[in-house]
Amino acid sequence: MDFKINLSAWRRRKIEFWNRLWEDLEIGYLDEDLIGILLILNTDINIYTLSSCSGRITVSDSTYPWSREESSVVFKKHVPITINEVLDVLKKPVVRRLWLNSTGPILHLSTNSLEYADKILSMARKAGLKHSGIISMNPDKGYIIELTSGVKISHLLRSQNILLAKEDSLEEIVKVANEVLLEGKKVLIRMFKVFRSELPWNPDDNIISDLKSRGIDIDKYDPYKIYRKYIRLNNI
Amino acid sequence: MDFKINLSAWRRRKIEFWNRLWEDLEIGYLDEDLIGILLILNTDINIYTLSSCSGRITVSDSTYPWSREESSVVFKKHVPITINEVLDVLKKPVVRRLWLNSTGPILHLSTNSLEYADKILSMARKAGLKHSGIISMNPDKGYIIELTSGVKISHLLRSQNILLAKEDSLEEIVKVANEVLLEGKKVLIRMFKVFRSELPWNPDDNIISDLKSRGIDIDKYDPYKIYRKYIRLNNI
């Protein structure tokens, strides 16, 4: 084959998702740790981003941590948690099992060419996002890529009436879950660095003028400068 | 772009991996649960399989379950485990942390066209392998696809001197790890069923004659029949 991308449809979707990104940011729905990498990606004329998560800790009441049906997330945070927060969750009744999940970042993006998709996958591998791949392709939507790493744990806290996380061991579990979350943020920083230095400069003029209208200027020679206003990750 | 696959190089690699598959089977290195799906895939002229795992339970001594460096697998099985096996592992000294990992199947395969890669990804999604994707592309190696699901847990058993899995809760953890392993085998069965019914019949004559020389005949109208000799999965 060779998918013929419908560039005008692809472009319309880019604008849609770009506007949604700013709405999500304004209502506080978008995790600010993501802004740097999302701006780098969307500033490129061949890329738009879809959903993304910078990494999070959740407690789910479900038979298995990956269950979607018959499953409820009873606790969710994108920053480190405390033992007391978990103790509070453990006080409530459990329908199935309680899992403490700590996961690294996951990003979905679209490119309008296979060549670009290949380039992005190479950069992703370099940044340690070893489970990244093109998950689907569609003339209107483009080549959809999932960027993800192996940073993840799912620890069984409670199985119906059996409590596995006794108070004396909870401190260690929470400590490790927080460490895993931070390992995920490190992956995000590595991703940011690799894309910033290796993505060729193919700016999307619409995006750049939209950023200008939001009071954000781009430095062609160091596009990173545009992001300073939003980035809160240290050590970049 | 549009990768031009070097078909003769691709073909040589298929033969290499096909021979390795039978060597692995003979020395007992290949998990027999995989044979059905591996034969279906390799019988297709546009596909060859690389490494694969039908799902397994491991105990690793590592800072994080995904660590590769400074990490050692102290226990590994492709079938359900017993409490005594875990108790034995827990008696040994720990350098970092002990993780009980139970994971579903993961398969790597190559196709010689993007069209076929797309077809395979659709089938994979249908079978519930939601994290499948094209992870790389190369003229000689082809479009490399990773087929994988979210079936996975990593439970912290011990962190240096802190034992988190007390004997009274270990029974439940082992029970759940075994359940997760079986959930992975179910994914494998779903994958087998979907590929058997949806993969178009494009037989690779070399593979079929090689199978014949091994005493295995193919029924064109029900290729499944070739596999009966090897498959040990129930309920297919």
Side-chain angles (χ1 to χ4, degrees), chain B residues 179-208:
Chain B
E179 269 184 43
V180 169
L181 186 74
L182 291 176
E183 285 300 310
K185 304 289 179 185
K186 284 187 204 163
V187 169
L188 203 58
I189 293 174
R190 274 204 302 275
M191 193 186 339
F192 181 88
K193 284 183 175 171
V194 170
F195 278 84
R196 182 176 53 150
S197 71
E198 302 207 358
L199 203 61
W201 177 244
N202 293 317
D204 183 328
D205 290 338
N206 284 324
I207 298 293
I208 288 178

Side-chain angles (χ1 to χ4, degrees), chain A residues 80-93:
Chain A
I81 62 167
T82 64
I83 296 162
N84 285 335
E85 287 171 318
V86 181
L87 283 172
D88 280 350
V89 172
L90 285 172
K91 280 178 200 153
K92 292 170 192 160

Side-chain angles (χ1 to χ4, degrees), chain A residues 61-124:
Chain A
D61 183 335
S62 52
T63 309
Y64 303 112
W66 62 86
S67 304
R68 283 288 164 272
E69 291 156 26
E70 299 196 345
S71 166
S72 61
V73 173
V74 291
F75 177 84
K76 179 163 78 174
K77 272 205 160 181
H78 289 83
V79 290
I81 62 167
T82 64
I83 296 162
N84 285 335
E85 287 171 318
V86 181
L87 283 172
D88 280 350
V89 172
L90 285 172
K91 280 178 200 153
K92 292 170 192 160
V94 177
V95 183
R96 298 165 203 98
R97 291 168 179 150
L98 274 190
W99 296 90
L100 180 66
N101 311 296
S102 187
T103 50
I106 183 161
L107 270 90
H108 291 98
L109 61 85
S110 169
T111 69
N112 55 22
S113 82
L114 190 59
E115 190 172 3
Y116 235 74
D118 184 42
K119 216 190 282 281
I120 287 166
L121 287 179
S122 300
M123 286 183 232

Side-chain angles (χ1 to χ4, degrees), chain A residues 17 19-31:
Chain A
F17 278 98
N19 291 333
R20 201 184 295 174
L21 187 158
W22 288 93
E23 282 163 24
D24 285 351
L25 184 66
E26 273 151 34
I27 59 175
Y29 183 72
L30 186 84
D31 188 343

Side-chain angles (χ1 to χ4, degrees), chain A residues 1-3 64-66 68 97 99 114-115 118 121 125 130-137 143 146 150-156 159 162 164 166 168-169 172-173 175-176 179-180 183, chain B residues 1-3 64-66 68 97 99 114-115 118 121 125 130-137 143 146 150-156 159 162 164 166 168-169 172-173 175-176 179-180 183:
Chain A
M1 113 177 103
D2 191 16
F3 282 91
Y64 303 112
W66 62 86
R68 283 288 164 272
R97 291 168 179 150
W99 296 90
L114 190 59
E115 190 172 3
D118 184 42
L121 287 179
R125 269 197 302 279
K130 288 189 303 181
H131 295 281
S132 301
I134 303 169
I135 57 170
S136 72
M137 42 196 109
Y143 296 89
E146 182 172 280
V151 173
K152 184 178 185 171
I153 60 164
S154 299
H155 186 92
L156 186 58
S159 199
I162 305 165
L164 291 100
K166 307 282 154 60
D168 59 334
S169 61
E172 187 64 18
I173 296 167
K175 190 189 128 209
V176 172
E179 268 184 44
V180 169
E183 285 300 309
Chain B
M1 113 176 105
D2 191 16
F3 282 89
Y64 303 112
W66 63 87
R68 282 290 162 274
R97 291 169 180 149
W99 297 90
L114 191 59
E115 190 172 4
D118 184 42
L121 287 179
R125 269 196 301 280
K130 287 189 302 180
H131 295 281
S132 301
I134 303 169
I135 56 171
S136 72
M137 43 195 108
Y143 297 88
E146 181 172 281
V151 173
K152 183 176 187 171
I153 60 164
S154 298
H155 185 93
L156 185 59
S159 199
I162 305 164
L164 292 99
K166 307 282 155 59
D168 59 334
S169 62
E172 187 64 17
I173 297 166
K175 190 189 127 208
V176 172
E179 269 184 43
V180 169
E183 285 300 310

Side-chain angles (χ1 to χ4, degrees), chain A residues 220-232:
Chain A
K220 180 173 170 177
Y221 303 100
D222 182 8
Y224 169 48
K225 285 190 180 161
I226 66 166
Y227 314 125
R228 194 166 296 153
K229 188 174 163 188
Y230 287 96
I231 282 178
R232 72 159 195 230

